[in-house]
Amino acid sequence: MDFHYSKAQSIEHNGWLFWSHEQKISERWQFSYDMQLRSADRFDYANTLLIRPGIGYKIRENQTVTLGYTYFGTWEKENDKLEYEPENRIFEQFEIRNKLKNVQITNRLRFEQRFMHMQQEKIFAQRLRYYIQALIPVLANPDFTNGMYVCIQNELFLNVQGNKQSGRQIFDQNRPYAGTGYRFNEKLDLEAGFMLRYIIQEDKNVRNNIFQLSIKSSF
């Protein structure tokens, strides 16, 4: 892999507002939904909207496969005008949730088919994402249905098709994150944390210092 460490480095400061929801349909089926609103550098304006619904099937109590769709719209300022670049994705994912005592550990593998519009050019690409998260209760009740917790996670992105057309390397980006949250009950978490996102592009590498506020619900 050619990481091009000699390229220009860009550092940005962003804010993300994130809502994640899971809705049980039956013993095996569930509906999931993510929504993110992201800011441009230095919280200048809202420049990204992500909407990601999916339908999941539990093959075991702690293992779920999901098929879904993602809308990803970005607005970038060019000569004081907002330029819009839409992206549509289809994704397939496999998720495993385990417990180590009261620590909740999630592993997720997601495969994305990306239909992008970049500078009025249509591009198709595919990307593989691996995510791991640990929720560690700190000041919580014994069964961790209420109380404070610490969240530690990371997500790795690999381009497996179309990376040259989109101006990316095979190693696309990495997202380490640490945060703290409060679990009101088994259905609702509120969390705040810091993410360091590192993106490798064709002409430069971008480091995003991201403050994220998250709401996680499940019914």
Side-chain angles (χ1 to χ4, degrees), residues 87-92 110-116 123-129 157-166 168-172:
E87 178 179 337
N88 295 282
R89 305 173 187 169
I90 299 170
F91 72 90
E92 307 82 36
R110 177 180 292 162
F111 190 44
E112 295 177 324
Q113 294 76 51
R114 308 174 66 193
F115 303 86
M116 297 178 283
I123 298 171
F124 174 75
Q126 296 193 87
R127 185 168 66 182
L128 193 63
R129 302 169 55 164
F157 294 64
L158 297 175
N159 290 310
V160 297
Q161 183 182 352
N163 51 304
K164 292 190 176 184
Q165 293 91 330
S166 59
R168 298 290 180 86
Q169 306 299 312
I170 294 176
F171 178 79
D172 184 31

Side-chain angles (χ1 to χ4, degrees), residues 77-187:
K77 280 188 177 179
E78 295 286 346
N79 300 320
D80 293 327
K81 293 183 179 180
L82 286 178
E83 297 291 335
Y84 171 61
E85 291 186 352
E87 178 179 337
N88 295 282
R89 305 173 187 169
I90 299 170
F91 72 90
E92 307 82 36
Q93 75 178 33
F94 175 57
E95 184 177 85
I96 302 176
R97 297 181 181 179
N98 291 308
K99 279 189 176 182
L100 183 60
K101 294 186 177 179
N102 278 350
V103 177
Q104 297 180 355
I105 300 173
T106 301
N107 285 271
R108 184 182 70 209
L109 189 65
R110 177 180 292 162
F111 190 44
E112 295 177 324
Q113 294 76 51
R114 308 174 66 193
F115 303 86
M116 297 178 283
H117 292 256
M118 300 179 66
Q119 298 177 351
Q120 298 182 348
E121 180 183 358
K122 293 183 179 180
I123 298 171
F124 174 75
Q126 296 193 87
R127 185 168 66 182
L128 193 63
R129 302 169 55 164
Y130 172 67
Y131 168 96
I132 183 169
Q133 180 195 73
L135 294 184
I136 307 166
V138 179
L139 298 172
N141 59 358
D143 54 357
F144 191 24
T145 57
N146 176 264
M148 293 186 64
Y149 64 87
V150 170
C151 174
I152 300 172
Q153 68 187 45
N154 190 45
E155 189 167 17
L156 177 67
F157 294 64
L158 297 175
N159 290 310
V160 297
Q161 183 182 352
N163 51 304
K164 292 190 176 184
Q165 293 91 330
S166 59
R168 298 290 180 86
Q169 306 299 312
I170 294 176
F171 178 79
D172 184 31
Q173 58 180 285
N174 194 47
R175 296 182 182 178
Y177 167 90
T180 183
Y182 188 83
R183 176 161 292 178
F184 294 91
N185 48 54
E186 292 180 291
K187 298 180 179 180

